[in-house]
Amino acid sequence: MLAFADKTSFRLCSSLLGNLNPSNESRRCTKTNIPFPRSCIKFAKKDELAIMANVALSRDMIQEHLKRSVIVKKQSKEVSKEVDFVRTLLIDNYDSYTYNIYQELSVVNGGPPFVVRNDEWTWEEAYYYLYEARAFDNIVISPGPGSPVCPADIGLCLYVLHQCRDIPILGVCLGHQALGYVHGGKIVLAPEPIHGRLSEIEHNGCRLFDNIPSGKNSGFKVVRYHSLVIDGEKLPSELVPIAWTSVRDALPFLQKADKVYNHSAGRGEASMLSGQINGTAAGKVLMGVMHSTWPHYGLQFHPESVATSYGRQIFRNFRDLTVDYWQAVSSKNRNGNQQNHSAIFFLYAIWYINLFILRPHLSRACLARMQMPNANSCRTSFRGDQFAEKKNGDCNGYVVNNSKSGIAVRNLRLKCKILNGLASRVGGSRIIFDELYGKSKAQDTFWLDSSTVEKGRARFSIMGGRGGSLWKQLTFKLSPSSDAAFHNGGLLSIEDVQGVTSTVHLERGFFDFLENDMKSICCDKKDYEGLPFDFCGGYIGYLGYNLKVECGAAFNHHRSSSPDACLFFADNFLVIDHRSNDVYLMSLFELDKASSSWLDDAEKRLLDLQASSNKNAEDNPSMSALASPFEAGFVSEKSREQYLEDVGKCLEYIKNGQSYELCLTTQLRKRITALAPIDLYMSLREKNPAPYAAWLNFSKHKLSICSSSPERFLRLDRDEILEAKPIKGTSPRGSSSHEDEQLKLLLQYSEKDQAENLMIVDLLRNDLGRVCEPGSVNVPHLMEVETYATVHTMVSTVRGKKQADVSPVECVRAAFPGGSMTGAPKLRSMEILDSLESCSRGIYSGSIGYFSINSTFDLNIVIRTVVMHDGEASIGAGGAVVALSNPEDEYNEMILKTSAPMKAIVECETSRCVM
């Protein structure tokens, strides 16, 4: 057991190779010699469960909620004519790629799978649904952190693999290892941990690989995320090897034509484990197995990854072999086509209890995706009623966000004035902000600042301050013991424009409040449908990293000294179109009240401005050289030695299969006494312009945020398209154009940075897959290098079409915090990081942006940011630790990321910014 594991809520079941296959001290099945998790041998009585379901809700209640879900109406092109769809039970091992599998199965099967986590059902419950209710045609077992020898990591899956010998099963990664372990295979360390890297695959041509080429240079490349393997040299007789790597070495996703970038970090560690590492034959690693007589298959690689070729074909093949399997089974053994309506409603009753009563914060998005099985499955099935989709209501031309009763609806109108080309005539957005808000030292103001707009990275900036009668400020602070179960919730303070503050305790958390509040707004589409931008008034502010406990994280080890969320409700604001230089003055007001005079006042002040050369502050002067933040008086939460040690611990977790990637961070702090925060931001935006930069000031909390973030977390536009732009991979700029181009190419073809980026892209695909239409999640741009004032970064773009009955806030909860700041699998990685990091990340790693009244939002990732709170400036920074990481390089990358905000502070302290 690792000495540093006791601070986490999970158990690292085995860190030493000798413990990967424990003795018979734990409870085992005598036939297969496997340990069963306690959750699986703790049986519940079916009568008790039925009583529980009847008490909790009636059949009518279930049907009413099912009306929110629409049965798949169109037969997928991949689905054969004989069956409408295949019903899959997808067991989630708390992985961050499960919903990539979900998306693939939804397309291939003709309908979405039913997802259950590995500790949600006892074996008796699973047996009932699989054999008595016959609710599923096949089973897919997801990847996940940990090892199949650890009951807490694998849960129900061991029982399913051992007992369901007559149901087709596909195990992926951890599921594949579990298949080997159940039948006596040995789980060993891989020759080296492989995460986010590719291998060419040879296979034996079995049914799972129909229409897929084999061997080196065949085009069949797959993505691998694993540190453990089934020992291929000691495979039990029940298992048949079906796939191997073509060569020993893994490959990067992108390769230079004349040279493959070779990153050797981590391989020396593997060579030191000689005598303990198995699983290879002639330098090849076992990548797939099947049972000799049961319809069970396992794949060590990830067919659902965006970079795996023929991944969908593998899922299509599994679907087809499932259909053929059940068609070959005697109808006598399957009881014909007997229907069992009560069983399917019992299934939904238990599912409803688990989600709506035990985990209601996760329920609505899940329920929106759940669909009743149709009759024409390949196995005995259940017919559900066809329900029409329930639309959001409208009131005389108004869009009503609220579909719940009991929430008072506010009818709002939006008024706009356009000042054509004004931004360029007055000298730019900084001059406009100074004129409207600078005289009050920018107190209680916001500025979502697209301070760099080249290459189409951003187009609009939004700014405002204390507004009209609708203006208010929300301040939320989690209770000390808040966790994923929402114990004690948090305290919300609401300040109106007169300065009157009310406080309320939110038992269900902040996101629940925000969703209900946004749903209470009714606005006229005609007021904004012709605007070129999405924000039409609403909330602008930040969401702190600790809100992860409202999004599935188990707990917070550290409390934030700043509020966990602060947002303004902006009713008077302006938008600058940097493409046309038009300025839009906007005012939001209640339907039965007149608009404020702010529009006329702001228009007059801006028209009176005269452009002059000394006012134009859009230039970007270079920063002076400074070797280290410590020379500038910053103090780090972790010393260099401690940070290097933490990187080593991360590598140990990765080697033992607990994570694929860990985004380790720390904080640098400095006392600030004579620095005007708004001047610091002005300096930062000049010297390090960024497309998702932001300024926020909350004067009552002595809190200012100066962000030069280059990263978009998540956006939802008016066409209901979700977009994430994760950044993974950073390198410094060069001192000459030649050196700069060389550094850019080194980043582009860095195997380590590609692996980092690919892992987070797959994670974001998973997060969007929870709330997007099946088959709609796509990656239009993968691993593109973008250049900024101080660094090159590797950026990808992930998009998907939001499901109609999933709310904007639910979309954010499905993906928050951004995967580029956590690692993967997200939940396990956040627990590990909480145990390693010595303080709360606070606002850093969270998001800044807006939630608009027209059901759109746009949020950044809080990086390259200075947080000024109670006289102290803090800068958060870190980097992704992967199997290829070198501790020294990770430390240097962390320091590099502090350079722009740190230098802005130093220059402000020694120049005009001092008060």
Side-chain angles (χ1 to χ4, degrees):
M1 183 69 70
L2 300 180
F4 50 88
D6 59 352
K7 295 174 66 177
T8 64
S9 67
F10 60 89
R11 291 184 299 122
L12 184 58
C13 291
S14 56
S15 61
L16 301 177
L17 196 60
N19 292 334
L20 283 174
N21 299 275
S23 64
N24 58 5
E25 295 175 357
S26 57
R27 183 184 178 98
R28 296 173 180 269
C29 168
T30 56
K31 182 176 179 180
T32 60
N33 199 36
I34 60 173
F36 290 133
R38 293 182 180 274
S39 61
C40 291
I41 60 176
K42 184 178 180 181
F43 294 113
K45 296 180 179 179
K46 188 171 68 177
D47 292 341
E48 293 176 352
L49 292 171
I51 292 171
M52 180 180 177
N54 290 332
V55 170
L57 71 165
S58 67
R59 175 170 169 160
D60 291 338
M61 290 173 63
I62 302 172
Q63 292 205 33
E64 178 62 29
H65 283 285
L66 290 173
K67 289 179 183 178
R68 297 176 54 196
S69 177
V70 184
I71 296 178
V72 175
K73 296 180 178 65
K74 293 185 178 179
Q75 191 172 347
S76 173
K77 293 181 180 179
E78 289 85 354
V79 179
S80 67
K81 296 180 180 179
E82 289 77 13
V83 294
D84 290 332
F85 67 88
V86 171
R87 304 163 305 168
T88 296
L89 173 64
L90 176 55
I91 304 178
D92 176 23
N93 289 304
Y94 287 85
D95 195 53
S96 288
Y97 300 150
T98 299
Y99 276 85
N100 294 333
I101 297 175
Y102 175 97
Q103 287 274 323
E104 291 296 319
L105 292 175
S106 297
V107 173
V108 169
N109 286 354
F114 187 94
V115 183
V116 61
R117 282 184 166 166
N118 64 20
D119 56 0
E120 287 189 87
W121 286 355
T122 65
W123 165 243
E124 187 178 64
E125 290 174 288
Y127 179 89
Y128 176 77
Y129 304 141
L130 291 165
Y131 287 100
E132 296 184 36
R134 298 186 187 122
F136 304 105
D137 305 311
N138 62 24
I139 302 168
V140 175
I141 300 176
S142 85
S147 165
V149 309
C150 179
D153 292 338
I154 199 66
L156 176 67
C157 301
L158 294 183
Y159 248 121
V160 167
L161 286 164
H162 177 249
Q163 300 293 339
C164 300
R165 62 189 66 188
D166 54 353
I167 296 178
I169 298 177
L170 175 63
V172 178
C173 199
L174 182 64
H176 156 86
Q177 295 167 14
L179 174 60
Y181 183 60
V182 159
H183 295 287
K186 189 176 182 182
I187 308 303
V188 297
L189 290 177
E192 63 172 323
I194 301 291
H195 298 293
R197 297 158 68 197
L198 285 73
S199 289
E200 294 179 307
I201 296 298
E202 297 178 10
H203 60 77
N204 69 348
C206 73
R207 182 71 187 279
L208 194 64
F209 296 110
D210 275 1
N211 301 311
I212 298 175
S214 175
K216 189 175 181 180
N217 299 322
S218 68
F220 185 25
K221 291 182 180 180
V222 302
V223 175
R224 297 165 59 187
Y225 296 112
H226 66 102
S227 301
L228 309 175
V229 294
I230 300 172
D231 188 349
E233 296 179 348
K234 300 177 182 178
L235 204 62
S237 59
E238 293 93 338
L239 298 179
V240 178
I242 60 175
W244 313 260
T245 56
S246 294
V247 295
R248 172 75 173 263
D249 291 337
L251 304 170
F253 176 71
L254 298 173
Q255 301 180 50
K256 295 180 69 173
D258 58 340
K259 177 183 177 182
V260 176
Y261 182 80
N262 182 20
H263 198 303
S264 60
R267 294 184 180 172
E269 183 178 58
S271 65
M272 293 171 61
L273 294 170
S274 59
Q276 298 186 22
I277 297 176
N278 300 291
T280 65
K284 299 179 180 181
V285 181
L286 183 64
M287 286 286 110
V289 297
M290 63 179 289
H291 194 277
S292 58
T293 57
W294 303 354
H296 293 182
Y297 300 82
L299 297 174
Q300 180 61 77
F301 60 86
H302 284 241
E304 81 285 356
S305 172
V306 69
T308 290
S309 56
Y310 299 96
R312 182 166 294 179
Q313 184 63 46
I314 290 173
F315 288 113
R316 183 183 293 114
N317 291 341
F318 182 61
R319 176 212 175 273
D320 290 345
L321 67 84
T322 298
V323 173
D324 291 347
Y325 175 84
W326 288 117
Q327 289 178 345
V329 172
S330 167
S331 60
K332 179 179 179 180
N333 292 336
R334 305 316 309 167
N335 293 319
N337 292 316
Q338 179 183 357
Q339 305 294 313
N340 189 341
H341 299 284
S342 61
I344 193 67
F345 280 105
F346 177 76
L347 172 64
Y348 281 114
I350 298 302
W351 171 76
Y352 180 94
I353 292 169
N354 283 338
L355 289 179
F356 277 84
I357 297 176
L358 301 180
R359 296 188 296 162
H361 57 292
L362 302 177
S363 63
R364 284 179 291 277
C366 296
L367 181 60
R369 291 192 302 273
M370 192 59 212
Q371 299 174 348
M372 287 287 288
N374 205 341
N376 294 326
S377 172
C378 58
R379 191 182 179 200
T380 302
S381 60
F382 308 97
R383 176 177 292 278
D385 294 331
Q386 300 273 345
F387 296 118
E389 183 177 356
K390 186 174 181 180
K391 302 287 187 181
N392 282 337
D394 63 74
C395 49
N396 299 323
Y398 289 79
V399 173
V400 184
N401 291 329
N402 174 41
S403 61
K404 292 184 176 182
S405 60
I407 300 178
V409 174
R410 294 174 291 166
N411 297 315
L412 304 182
R413 295 295 305 271
L414 181 67
K415 191 173 181 180
C416 173
K417 285 191 175 185
I418 305 175
L419 305 180
N420 295 319
L422 182 130
S424 60
R425 295 199 305 271
V426 302
S429 53
R430 172 173 178 168
I431 300 301
I432 293 174
F433 188 88
D434 277 341
E435 173 63 27
L436 295 181
Y437 308 109
K439 294 179 175 59
S440 62
K441 297 182 180 180
Q443 290 189 347
D444 298 322
T445 58
F446 61 84
W447 186 1
L448 303 185
D449 179 18
S450 298
S451 54
T452 179
V453 295
E454 66 269 17
K455 300 181 181 179
R457 292 173 186 163
R459 178 179 171 184
F460 302 101
S461 292
I462 307 167
M463 59 181 69
R466 292 183 78 94
S469 60
L470 296 176
W471 182 93
K472 59 184 174 184
Q473 178 184 322
L474 305 182
T475 303
F476 179 72
K477 189 76 173 176
L478 286 163
S479 297
S481 58
S482 285
D483 55 21
F486 291 96
H487 296 146
N488 296 324
L491 203 63
L492 176 70
S493 297
I494 305 174
E495 179 187 354
D496 64 20
V497 72
Q498 284 81 33
V500 178
T501 301
S502 59
T503 303
V504 62
H505 182 262
L506 302 180
E507 186 68 29
R508 301 306 312 162
F510 181 74
F511 281 116
D512 187 74
F513 169 86
L514 183 62
E515 177 166 6
N516 287 333
D517 194 71
M518 296 301 294
K519 284 182 176 181
S520 72
I521 297 172
C522 182
C523 55
D524 193 338
K525 293 173 63 175
K526 295 178 181 178
D527 289 349
Y528 59 78
E529 59 186 358
L531 296 173
F533 46 85
D534 287 330
F535 183 70
C536 304
Y539 286 107
I540 288 182
Y542 74 82
L543 307 171
Y545 178 75
N546 277 6
L547 285 181
K548 68 182 189 289
V549 296
E550 296 192 16
C551 305
F555 48 79
N556 286 313
H557 266 297
H558 313 286
R559 292 198 72 193
S560 173
S561 59
S562 56
D564 294 296
C566 271
L567 299 99
F568 300 116
F569 188 88
D571 56 355
N572 293 334
F573 59 97
L574 65 84
V575 179
I576 300 172
D577 184 343
H578 295 286
R579 180 184 298 173
S580 65
N581 286 305
D582 294 341
V583 175
Y584 294 76
L585 301 175
M586 316 286 290
S587 184
L588 194 65
F589 56 96
E590 293 184 84
L591 183 63
D592 56 351
K593 296 181 181 179
S595 61
S596 71
S597 61
W598 182 83
L599 285 174
D600 295 332
D601 295 342
E603 180 184 27
K604 183 178 184 307
R605 293 174 66 179
L606 293 179
L607 291 176
D608 288 343
L609 280 175
Q610 297 296 319
S612 62
S613 59
N614 65 334
K615 284 187 175 182
N616 195 327
E618 303 303 323
D619 297 331
N620 301 318
S622 60
M623 290 187 175
S624 60
L626 194 65
S628 164
F630 309 113
E631 294 180 12
F634 283 86
V635 177
S636 176
E637 284 286 336
K638 291 282 183 79
S639 67
R640 178 180 176 278
E641 290 72 23
Q642 290 172 321
Y643 194 85
L644 295 176
E645 182 180 348
D646 285 347
V647 173
K649 291 176 181 179
C650 289
L651 290 170
E652 190 72 10
Y653 277 118
I654 290 169
K655 185 184 75 174
N656 285 283
Q658 295 300 315
S659 178
Y660 317 140
E661 176 174 353
L662 290 164
C663 298
L664 183 68
T665 74
T666 190
Q667 298 267 343
L668 283 73
R669 307 181 190 278
K670 182 178 182 179
R671 296 300 301 177
I672 300 292
T673 57
L675 189 62
I678 185 59
D679 289 338
L680 170 61
Y681 177 68
M682 294 299 187
S683 176
L684 179 63
R685 73 180 297 274
E686 290 173 10
K687 295 172 173 59
N688 193 47
Y692 310 110
W695 155 265
L696 293 171
N697 176 270
F698 303 95
S699 61
K700 182 173 287 188
H701 303 291
K702 299 179 181 179
L703 174 63
S704 297
I705 303 169
C706 308
S707 177
S708 58
S709 173
E711 182 172 0
R712 168 175 281 156
F713 163 46
L714 197 61
R715 176 193 181 193
L716 176 65
D717 66 19
R718 65 184 66 186
D719 297 321
E720 297 196 318
I721 300 298
L722 284 163
E723 180 184 85
K725 292 177 69 68
I727 289 177
K728 269 288 163 265
T730 303
S731 73
R733 297 292 305 272
S735 57
S736 66
S737 59
H738 176 74
E739 182 187 15
D740 197 51
E741 185 63 25
Q742 290 299 307
L743 289 171
K744 184 177 180 179
L745 287 174
L746 282 174
L747 175 62
Q748 181 76 73
Y749 295 103
S750 162
E751 187 172 8
K752 171 190 176 290
D753 292 303
Q754 288 183 37
E756 286 184 26
N757 197 281
L758 180 57
M759 279 185 266
I760 300 307
V761 167
D762 278 340
L763 189 157
L764 265 298
R765 290 174 59 238
N766 172 86
D767 290 348
L768 266 63
R770 295 173 178 269
V771 293
C772 286
E773 295 290 345
S776 70
V777 178
N778 62 96
V779 183
H781 306 288
L782 183 60
M783 301 184 195
E784 295 184 344
V785 174
E786 294 183 355
T787 298
Y788 295 91
T790 59
V791 295
H792 300 293
T793 61
M794 186 179 287
V795 186
S796 296
T797 303
V798 184
R799 294 185 185 135
K801 174 73 172 179
K802 182 183 77 67
Q803 293 188 30
D805 44 7
V806 176
S807 75
V809 174
E810 285 171 329
C811 293
V812 174
R813 293 179 74 165
F816 188 85
S820 62
M821 302 307 296
T822 64
K826 183 186 282 187
L827 297 181
R828 178 68 62 87
S829 296
M830 287 192 294
E831 290 183 26
I832 294 172
L833 293 167
D834 263 11
S835 73
L836 295 176
E837 296 174 359
S838 57
C839 66
S840 171
R841 296 188 184 184
I843 299 167
Y844 169 66
S845 298
S847 292
I848 295 172
Y850 69 75
F851 291 89
S852 178
I853 60 172
N854 62 348
S855 297
T856 64
F857 64 79
D858 200 354
L859 300 166
N860 76 1
I861 295 285
V862 181
I863 54 176
R864 319 293 196 270
T865 296
V866 181
V867 175
M868 302 184 70
H869 186 217
D870 283 336
E872 180 183 71
S874 62
I875 303 171
V881 181
V882 297
L884 293 174
S885 288
N886 175 278
E888 289 283 352
D889 291 343
E890 293 299 330
Y891 180 79
N892 292 334
E893 180 179 337
M894 181 272 293
I895 294 297
L896 170 66
K897 292 173 179 176
T898 68
S899 62
M902 178 267 299
K903 290 176 182 178
I905 291 175
V906 171
E907 292 194 2
C908 264
E909 286 183 315
T910 58
S911 66
R912 68 184 186 280
C913 297
V914 177
M915 298 174 63

